[in-house]
Amino acid sequence: MLKGEKGIMKGIREDRIDFNKDYLGESARLTFTQGVTEVNSAEINLSQLQRNISIIRRNIKPGTQFMAVLKGNAYGHGLIQIAYEVERCRCDSIGVVRVTEALKLREAGISIPIIMLAPIMPEQADYVVNYDVTISVDNECILKALQESCDKYNKVVNVHIKVNTGLNRYGIEPKDACDFINMIKGKYPSLIVEGIYTHFRDAEFDNVFTELQIERFNNVLNKLEKEKLRPQIAHAAGSAGILLYPKAHYDMVRCGLILYGLELNEEQKLLLPGMRSLMTIKSRVVKIEEVKKDDFGGYGNRFKASRNSFIAVIGAGYGDGISRGWKEVLISGRRIPIINYCMDGIIVDITDFKGEVNEFDEVIIIGKQGDETITWEEACYHIKCFSDEQLQRITARVPKNYFYEGEVIKNN
Ligand SMILES: *Cc1c(COP(=O)(O)O)cnc(C)c1O
């Protein structure tokens, strides 16, 4: 915002997403590829995103701000498209960790506050100041760089102070909070201290330590209150904090995993009723082969038929982000075992399901079909991987199709 101006930048965004524009630099959305159906796709249910948001909202105090965390390409769901939806759902702000993520959002016309949850480098200051990005600060070098940019462009910039209460990643020490804020107020007049926050180390499992972190943060806030230095927005809770520590919601919650309907881990089932994942990975049967006893199916010796068999090739492999170690897919509402894999396909054994599987049938790799569901948590459990980590592995060549329930799915 300009110096002296209050509130947020007014965006110039259009209502519809321009799918021709390659916002993410991730896939060439050239004219020739428009309208082509791919053999596989990630189908993203925006109605479910709306539902997850409203369920979470009902579980936080009215008036608590809601930050949607969209780092990592919105946990693999597509930064811009998810940003449009969370803005439409009136989330209060968006959290990211890379300056390029923040700038892509502004370029796409997103006008709600964007808050950086990781440090920036001094040479990025001009960009974040110009595009009204809110910065986490814990370091005087960044304060200086931000002030210089503000002077250069006649701007002010919002900052949130990061406090380290035990994660030992970023942040100033709790005892330094008063001095740090006083220093900003004294030396860096164009920096507006809007927020203060901390982050939990292990809110899912370590109750004792989380309580200690909350106590340390409360002490900081009380001290600042006394000195009349408390910033307007205090925040601490990510998904685990939102679900397990209502007293740590403070003035804002920072919602990542559960926004996308992902469980925090596979051991505890913490999602609230009605919350579900947004993304289904679909593919098709591209070929059915007969394999005689003692013959092979696919590369190497991974599958040697112990009986006369039928196998099917599915059009999604590790080139699409399908992980070796996933056990089953769904075809015709049945769980079918995966027996081999390659870059462009996985092979399943359909001997026991011969009449039920046909070439070009739909295959669900992650998601629901009939009465069966393969969840992200189940698939990731087999490969000892977090679901948010696995979502980052789905590659750019898998088209993302966005839909609202009841709407016909369009390709993009
Ligand atoms: C990623 C992140 C979040 C969101 O965490 P989830 O567990 O995915 O909800 C919140 N705060 C910070 C600082 C983060 O880096």
Side-chain angles (χ1 to χ4, degrees):
M1 67 202 102
L2 283 171
K3 211 167 184 168
E5 196 182 49
K6 277 227 173 76
I8 54 167
M9 188 180 83
K10 281 277 165 282
I12 38 152
R13 82 173 173 76
E14 287 158 8
D15 237 350
R16 294 300 298 180
I17 301 159
D18 181 0
F19 286 118
N20 280 317
K21 189 159 185 177
D22 189 7
Y23 292 116
L24 305 170
E26 61 168 18
S27 59
R29 289 202 181 95
L30 302 171
T31 319
F32 282 7
T33 66
Q34 280 225 306
V36 177
T37 304
E38 249 318 338
V39 62
N40 54 44
S41 62
E43 319 257 284
I44 296 162
N45 183 342
L46 296 174
S47 303
Q48 186 60 46
L49 175 60
Q50 295 173 347
R51 211 173 294 133
N52 291 347
I53 291 173
S54 61
I55 294 168
I56 299 160
R57 273 237 174 82
R58 283 202 293 278
N59 280 273
I60 59 181
K61 263 198 330 283
T64 310
Q65 289 196 27
F66 190 115
M67 175 200 283
V69 179
L70 266 54
K71 63 190 180 191
N73 196 22
Y75 289 53
H77 294 71
L79 177 67
I80 303 303
Q81 293 86 345
I82 298 298
Y84 275 106
E85 196 57 47
V86 304
E87 194 176 58
R88 241 177 244 139
C89 290
R90 303 194 184 288
C91 290
D92 298 281
S93 59
I94 290 174
V96 294
V97 296
R98 299 281 182 255
V99 169
T100 45
E101 293 175 320
L103 300 189
K104 279 172 188 161
L105 289 170
R106 286 289 184 242
E107 191 192 3
I110 294 294
S111 60
I112 59 177
I114 297 172
I115 303 178
M116 294 286 302
L117 297 172
I120 64 161
M121 296 185 294
E123 59 266 45
Q124 295 173 313
D126 281 358
Y127 294 93
V128 296
V129 163
N130 262 312
Y131 287 94
D132 296 315
V133 179
T134 301
I135 308 304
S136 288
V137 291
D138 62 1
N139 171 319
E140 202 176 352
C141 175
I142 297 301
L143 302 178
K144 273 198 197 106
L146 288 172
Q147 181 62 45
E148 277 168 24
S149 298
C150 286
D151 290 342
K152 192 151 74 177
Y153 299 105
N154 193 31
K155 290 268 221 170
V156 292
V157 65
N158 284 329
V159 298
H160 287 216
I161 314 287
K162 183 78 188 262
V163 183
N164 174 24
T165 56
L167 177 64
N168 293 332
R169 188 171 64 177
Y170 314 124
I172 58 168
E173 290 310 303
K175 65 172 172 39
D176 299 330
C178 281
D179 291 346
F180 195 73
I181 293 178
N182 272 324
M183 174 183 66
I184 295 176
K185 286 183 188 286
K187 279 170 71 178
Y188 304 101
S190 301
L191 277 56
I192 300 166
V193 183
E194 179 195 52
I196 182 158
Y197 76 109
T198 192
H199 196 43
F200 296 131
R201 183 185 63 87
D202 191 10
E204 292 148 76
F205 294 111
D206 196 339
N207 179 252
V208 174
F209 197 83
T210 307
E211 290 288 350
L212 178 67
Q213 287 191 276
I214 293 172
E215 189 187 315
R216 286 172 177 165
F217 193 53
N218 282 338
N219 288 340
V220 170
L221 295 180
N222 289 337
K223 225 160 72 191
L224 293 175
E225 194 96 56
K226 273 198 205 107
E227 306 279 327
K228 301 214 175 341
L229 290 173
R230 186 195 190 279
Q232 187 192 339
I233 308 172
H235 47 113
S239 290
I242 293 170
L243 296 177
L244 299 173
Y245 294 90
K247 68 176 167 190
H249 291 178
Y250 299 102
D251 308 305
M252 179 167 81
V253 295
R254 304 187 301 264
C255 191
L257 277 172
I258 61 174
L259 185 69
Y260 309 95
L262 300 167
E263 286 285 358
L264 309 182
N265 58 69
E266 62 287 338
E267 287 137 69
Q268 304 161 297
K269 293 275 173 270
L270 293 174
L271 286 182
L272 300 164
M275 294 175 81
R276 265 190 287 280
S277 67
L278 313 182
M279 193 196 285
T280 297
I281 304 288
K282 273 190 187 167
S283 188
R284 301 278 285 274
V285 175
V286 290
K287 180 77 177 154
I288 293 178
E289 288 278 349
E290 193 173 352
V291 177
K292 296 280 179 237
K293 182 172 186 297
D294 295 331
D295 274 351
F296 299 93
Y299 288 126
N301 298 330
R302 287 185 287 254
F303 179 76
K304 185 173 183 188
S306 59
R307 54 179 173 166
N308 289 338
S309 303
F310 286 94
I311 61 175
V313 185
I314 314 300
Y318 56 79
D320 305 286
I322 306 306
S323 285
R324 148 199 333 211
W326 286 5
K327 300 281 188 232
E328 292 172 322
V329 299
L330 304 179
I331 311 174
S332 295
R334 303 279 227 142
R335 284 178 175 262
I336 316 264
I338 300 172
I339 51 150
N340 209 339
Y341 51 87
C342 58
M343 188 184 292
D344 309 308
I346 44 182
I347 302 176
V348 297
D349 183 351
I350 57 167
T351 315
D352 295 332
F353 311 94
K354 181 64 181 69
E356 298 173 67
V357 178
N358 299 295
E359 283 179 346
F360 306 112
D361 275 359
E362 181 175 274
V363 180
I364 298 293
I365 296 174
I366 307 282
K368 185 172 185 319
Q369 193 184 53
D371 297 331
E372 286 286 356
T373 305
I374 296 176
T375 63
W376 287 94
E377 290 76 29
E378 176 192 334
C380 294
Y381 182 75
H382 293 307
I383 54 173
K384 296 190 167 43
C385 169
F386 295 116
S387 48
D388 57 341
E389 187 182 344
Q390 171 57 46
L391 273 154
Q392 296 296 327
R393 296 182 186 166
I394 302 299
T395 59
R397 81 175 184 189
V398 180
K400 294 187 183 76
N401 298 326
Y402 297 86
F403 70 99
Y404 296 97
E405 287 164 10
E407 200 185 64
V408 180
I409 296 178
K410 284 192 293 290
N411 289 304
N412 64 73

